[in-house]
C-alpha cells in the first residue's frame, strides 16, 4: 500500500465526546487531519474542536446527533453535504456496554446497544464507503471492536456479540478494501480507562488492569502506518496473550465458565 498521509484528509470520528474518541481526535489532528466530531454531548464536542483547532491549525466540524436512532447514516450524510464536507476517513467508535444477565436486562436498552454498536456502524460504513475508497489521502476505516470479541461473555452476552460482529465484519472488509488502498482496521481494546465503565457498570471490567486511552489509540495508529496494515490489533501484551488463549488455545466451555465467574464476582454475586 502507498504510505498513509493525513494532510488534506477529513476524518469523521463517532463518540468523540469522551474516552477513545477524544484521543483519536487529538492524535489524528496532530498528524494533520481535519475532523468531523460526532456524539450527543454538543458542548464537549465544541470545546474539543476549539482546542484542537487552536493547537494543531486543522479544522474540526461538530455534529451533535443521537447515533442510536435508525437512519443515522443518511441524516449524517445530509448534515455533511449541507456544510460542503466530504470525508476520507471514518472511525466508528461510538458504542456502549451494559452488564448483567440477559434475563434481567432492559429490552429497550439492549436494542439501543445493538442499534448503535452494530446497525449504525454498518449503516455509516455503507453510507461513506465509496467516499473512503476513492479518497487520495487518509483513507482509513477504523471500527472499534473489543477483546470481548474473542470469547463468550456471560454477563455481557449481547455486548460481546456486537463486538464479535464488528471484528468479523471488519476483517472481511479489510480484504475487500485492500486493492482500493483503503486501510480497514478492527481495534480490539481490553479494559481501558474511559467513561465506558460508568455506563456499562464496573463489573464489566472484571477487576482486570486498565490501559490508558492514549496508548490504545496510538497502537491503532501505528498499525495503520504499516506498509501492510493488519486487519485487527489488540493493544497491550497481556490483552494479546488473552485473545490468543481464549480464541485458539482454551476450550470454549472453560472460557465461558471462567469469564462468567469473574463477572459474577465483579457484580458481588
Ligand atoms: N473502555 C473500554 O474498556 C473499552 C474496551 C473495549 C472496547 N471499547 C469500545 O470503545 C468504544 C469507545 O468507548 P470508550 O471506552 O471511549 O467509552 P466512553 O468514554 O463511554 O465513550 C463512548 C462514546 O460514545 C458516544 N455515544 C454513546 N452513545 C451514543 C449515541 N447514542 N449517539 C452518539 N454517540 C454516542 C459517547 O458520546 P455521548 O454520550 O456524548 O453521545 C462517547 O463519546 C466503544 O465502542 C466501546 O465499546 C471500550
Amino acid at each position: 500500500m502507498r504510505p498513509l498521509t493525513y494532510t488534506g484528509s477529513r476524518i469523521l470520528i463517532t463518540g468523540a465526546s469522551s474516552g477513545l474518541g477524544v484521543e483519536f481526535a487529538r492524535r489524528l489532528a496532530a498528524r494533520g487531519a481535519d475532523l468531523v466530531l460526532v456524539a450527543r454531548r454538543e458542548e464537549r464536542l465544541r470545546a474539543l474542536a476549539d482546542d484542537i483547532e487552536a493547537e494543531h491549525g486543522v479544522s474540526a466540524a461538530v455534529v451533535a446527533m443521537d447515533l442510536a436512532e435508525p437512519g443515522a447514516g443518511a441524516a449524517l450524510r445530509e448534515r455533511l453535504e449541507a456544510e460542503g464536507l466530504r470525508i476520507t476517513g471514518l472511525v466508528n467508535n461510538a458504542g456502549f456496554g451494559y452488564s448483567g444477565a440477559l434475563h434481567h436486562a432492559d429490552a429497550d436498552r439492549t436494542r439501543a446497544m445493538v442499534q448503535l454498536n452494530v446497525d449504525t456502524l454498518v449503516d455509516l460504513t455503507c453510507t461513506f464507503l465509496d467516499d473512503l475508497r476513492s479518497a487520495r489521502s487518509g483513507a482509513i476505516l477504523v471500527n472499534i471492536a473489543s477483546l470481548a470479541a474473542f470469547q463468550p461473555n456471560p454477563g455481557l452476552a449481547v455486548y460481546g456479540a456486537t463486538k464479535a460482529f464488528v471484528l468479523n465484519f471488519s476483517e472481511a472488509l479489510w480484504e475487500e478494501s485492500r486493492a482500493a488502498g483503503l486501510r480497514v482496521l478492527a481495534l480490539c481494546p481490553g479494559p481501558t480507562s474511559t467513561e465506558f465503565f460508568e455506563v456499562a457498570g464496573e463489573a464489566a471490567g472484571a477487576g482486570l488492569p486498565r490501559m490508558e486511552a492514549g496508548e490504545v489509540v496510538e497502537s491503532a495508529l501505528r498499525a495503520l502506518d504499516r506498509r501492510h496494515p493488519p486487519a485487527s490489533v489488540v493493544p497491550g501484551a497481556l490483552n494479546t496473550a488473552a485473545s490468543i488463549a481464549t480464541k485458539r488455545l482454551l476450550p470454549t466451555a472453560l472460557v465461558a465458565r471462567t469469564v462468567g465467574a469473574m463477572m459474577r464476582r465483579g457484580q458481588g454475586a
Side-chain angles (χ1 to χ4, degrees):
M1 281 208 180
R2 59 181 188 267
L4 180 60
T5 159
Y6 290 109
T7 310
S9 68
R10 183 175 290 277
I11 299 176
L12 190 154
I13 304 168
T14 68
S17 62
S18 164
L20 295 174
V22 170
E23 290 296 332
F24 269 108
R26 292 194 181 284
R27 284 159 200 267
L28 286 168
R31 284 165 165 79
D34 291 328
L35 303 174
V36 179
L37 308 176
V38 187
R40 292 167 299 182
R41 287 171 290 181
E42 186 169 5
E43 272 180 28
R44 282 195 181 199
L45 295 178
R46 290 214 179 279
L48 177 63
D50 289 348
D51 227 39
I52 280 174
E53 288 183 340
E55 193 175 345
H56 300 294
V58 298
S59 114
V62 163
V63 179
M65 181 179 278
D66 185 347
L67 292 169
E69 293 292 325
L76 193 47
R77 175 159 212 119
E78 212 172 286
R79 294 276 293 271
L80 297 192
E81 280 176 359
E83 294 182 36
L85 300 174
R86 192 184 169 94
I87 63 161
T88 66
L90 173 61
V91 180
N92 274 315
N93 164 73
F96 72 92
Y98 172 26
S99 59
L102 191 59
H103 58 276
H104 292 309
D106 178 90
D108 287 342
R109 206 167 161 205
T110 302
R111 266 192 291 274
M113 179 169 58
V114 176
Q115 177 69 43
L116 180 64
N117 296 9
V118 174
D119 292 33
T120 298
L121 183 141
V122 174
D123 183 22
L124 294 184
T125 301
C126 294
T127 300
F128 294 109
L129 193 56
D130 285 346
D131 293 342
L132 307 186
R133 287 175 64 93
S134 60
R136 303 181 75 83
S137 59
I140 60 167
L141 170 60
V142 181
N143 292 329
I144 315 303
S146 168
L147 192 57
F150 296 93
Q151 66 197 34
N153 297 275
L156 274 174
V158 176
Y159 174 75
T162 67
K163 295 303 182 178
F165 177 97
V166 172
L167 176 59
N168 189 287
F169 171 66
S170 307
E171 287 173 332
L173 261 191
W174 171 84
E175 167 58 15
E176 286 184 12
S177 308
R178 281 187 314 140
L182 170 62
R183 288 161 154 85
V184 178
L185 180 74
L187 172 62
C188 306
T192 306
S193 296
T194 67
E195 293 173 19
F196 177 84
F197 296 99
E198 289 171 26
V199 180
E202 284 300 318
L208 297 171
R210 294 183 191 174
M211 288 181 71
E212 293 303 317
E215 298 175 73
V216 169
V217 169
E218 205 49 53
S219 73
L221 297 182
R222 275 198 309 272
L224 290 167
D225 279 339
R226 282 159 59 176
R227 191 170 154 73
H228 298 292
S232 65
V233 64
V234 179
L238 195 64
N239 293 331
T240 303
S243 72
I244 294 168
T246 54
K247 178 87 180 167
R248 303 207 194 123
L249 303 179
L250 299 172
T252 305
L254 174 64
V255 175
R257 278 201 299 271
T258 308
V259 175
M262 288 167 77
M263 288 293 293
R264 281 193 299 278
R265 207 168 44 237
Q267 283 161 345

